[in-house]
Amino acid sequence: GWEGKAGCLSDADLAAMESRHKTKMEELEKKVDEAKENAGDMEVLDARFDVARFAAKSLSKDEALDAYEKVLALPKLSSGKKIDCLMEGARVALFHGDNKKTAELIEKAAKLAEDGGDWDRRNRLKVYSSLSKLLVRDVKDAASLLIDCIATFSCTELCSYTEFVVYTIVSNILYIPRTELKSKIIDGPEILSVANEIPVVARLVNALYDCDYKGYLQAMVELQPILVADRYLQPHSGYIMRELHVLGYKQFLDSYKSVTLESMAASFGVGTEYLDLQLSRFIAAGRLTAKIDKFGGVVETNRPDLKNAQYKDMIQKGDLLLNRIQKLARVVDL
């Protein structure tokens, strides 16, 4: 078994550790009782926070969240301290991968912040919210929050500033237009300040903007292990890589009415068979508006007319609305 191997606890060690934790919790709870008897509300609050923070570091998720609930239950607690407590609880849930609980706690904190939170807490809350959205693959909303917070980032308890910049670039490259990509990402002073620390990500965004598609794909290859090694990006590494492929191919094809597979493959530095397979998948999934003439070895783009696209969208939504009204009418008749 695992027992006796380096870095693994034996049953005896585990029991001893649990005993130490229990003793420490009893000591901290005793300090809470002493503060209630001999001191004021602030001392009770500090003692209760000490219990919760120890539970967060050393005990289970449920025990830690329960300890933070006890902090929230204290009388005369200011809205600022409630927000701090909810954010610390959200960090516990985030660590344990409980995305639902994380979102619930952040939402509660956001409501309090709207009523009376200071600028620093509201700003930190936006960082918590952006990373929470990133974890549940709400990348578009996360991207806008991340770029808003980049100049005032202070949540080093969640990630380093360099990591935060990586999240900002990787999420925003998928959604913002080229003009904003240049002003907000490539030339952004906060991003330029750490660009030397994140050469792969910087190279990726610059290659896309400069239409250096071969360099772009090479940067993607180097990016993949970075995504896999990151706790916030790892669950979505496959999705991000796929979206980056679509982004590169779409930008290239937007410049042409038709282009040979051979020419496009040369631009991306890949073989024609590989490119044919990739494009076929994305065209079939409706991600690229193009078609492949296999006999002629040509990719033809068929950009949908904007008015026709809007008309079709309106017809589809109208049809969906009518179906819902008919279903509702049947329920009302019953």
Side-chain angles (χ1 to χ4, degrees):
W2 291 98
E3 201 169 308
K5 291 190 178 181
C8 295
L9 286 173
S10 66
D11 289 341
D13 289 336
L14 184 61
M17 184 179 72
E18 288 174 348
S19 175
R20 288 196 300 273
H21 288 168
K22 186 179 178 183
T23 303
K24 182 67 176 176
M25 280 293 283
E26 287 170 355
E27 288 173 9
L28 291 170
E29 287 288 358
K30 190 177 178 183
K31 286 181 181 178
V32 173
D33 294 336
E34 287 173 359
K36 284 179 181 177
E37 290 175 15
N38 307 318
D41 292 337
M42 284 304 297
E43 288 76 13
V44 173
L45 175 62
D46 290 341
R48 186 52 75 192
F49 258 121
D50 286 342
V51 173
R53 285 163 184 162
F54 176 77
K57 288 190 291 184
S58 305
L59 303 182
S60 69
K61 179 190 76 173
D62 291 337
E63 287 171 304
L65 291 176
D66 183 57
Y68 280 110
E69 284 295 328
K70 288 178 180 175
V71 176
L72 289 170
L74 290 173
K76 301 177 185 177
L77 197 61
S78 69
S79 60
K81 289 296 181 184
K82 284 180 181 176
I83 292 169
D84 289 343
C85 183
L86 287 164
M87 283 198 290
E88 288 189 28
R91 197 158 79 244
V92 171
L94 199 65
F95 175 81
H96 288 279
D98 189 342
N99 296 328
K100 187 178 178 182
K101 187 66 177 177
T102 303
E104 179 190 314
L105 292 170
I106 290 171
E107 191 179 338
K108 285 181 182 177
K111 284 178 183 174
L112 286 171
E114 282 174 18
D115 297 334
D118 58 38
W119 175 85
D120 179 61
R121 286 189 174 98
R122 284 200 301 270
N123 191 64
R124 289 177 64 235
L125 198 55
K126 281 171 77 175
V127 176
Y128 275 71
S129 183
S130 65
L131 293 179
S132 169
K133 287 178 183 297
L134 197 60
L135 271 174
V136 295
R137 203 178 286 183
D138 186 357
V139 182
K140 192 171 185 178
D141 283 352
S144 60
L145 286 171
L146 286 162
I147 207 157
D148 283 348
C149 299
I150 201 162
T152 52
F153 174 79
S154 60
C155 294
T156 50
E157 70 273 17
L158 291 179
C159 62
S160 69
Y161 182 66
T162 305
E163 289 169 332
F164 189 78
V165 170
V166 170
Y167 305 147
T168 304
I169 295 174
V170 169
S171 58
N172 277 278
I173 195 176
L174 299 174
Y175 292 104
I176 62 175
R178 274 175 64 82
T179 50
E180 290 184 35
L181 190 69
K182 176 70 171 169
S183 60
K184 292 183 178 180
I185 302 294
I186 295 172
D187 292 340
E190 296 84 13
I191 290 173
L192 287 173
S193 68
V194 295
N196 291 334
E197 298 173 42
I198 49 171
V200 172
V201 183
R203 195 157 60 249
L204 177 83
V205 70
N206 278 290
L208 180 70
Y209 186 78
D210 295 336
C211 301
D212 174 13
Y213 298 108
K214 188 174 182 179
Y216 177 70
L217 278 197
Q218 286 172 345
M220 279 182 61
V221 171
E222 294 174 41
L223 178 70
Q224 205 264 346
I226 294 171
L227 299 179
V228 170
D230 186 274
R231 68 180 300 261
Y232 294 105
L233 299 175
Q234 185 275 330
H236 319 299
S237 57
Y239 166 80
I240 292 168
M241 292 297 286
R242 184 172 67 251
E243 292 302 306
L244 288 172
H245 270 113
V246 171
L247 183 66
Y249 294 145
K250 186 176 184 301
Q251 181 174 291
F252 180 90
L253 291 170
D254 280 348
S255 306
Y256 298 92
K257 188 165 180 64
S258 66
V259 62
T260 64
L261 265 174
E262 195 174 335
S263 172
M264 187 173 176
S267 296
F268 280 90
V270 295
T272 53
E273 288 185 11
Y274 172 80
L275 184 65
D276 180 36
L277 178 65
Q278 287 273 81
L279 292 178
S280 300
R281 284 172 52 214
F282 294 133
I283 291 168
R287 301 304 310 281
L288 294 174
T289 53
K291 59 182 180 180
I292 301 172
D293 177 358
K294 188 76 172 175
F295 181 75
V298 174
V299 183
E300 297 177 3
T301 58
N302 43 342
R303 299 183 194 88
D305 177 64
L306 183 60
K307 283 189 178 179
N308 282 338
Q310 287 174 336
Y311 176 73
K312 284 181 182 176
D313 186 50
M314 186 178 72
I315 293 293
Q316 285 177 343
K317 286 180 178 175
D319 192 39
L320 185 64
L321 180 61
L322 283 172
N323 286 336
R324 286 179 177 171
I325 290 169
Q326 286 172 353
K327 285 180 183 176
L328 183 62
R330 285 198 293 270
V331 171
V332 172
D333 288 342
L334 289 171

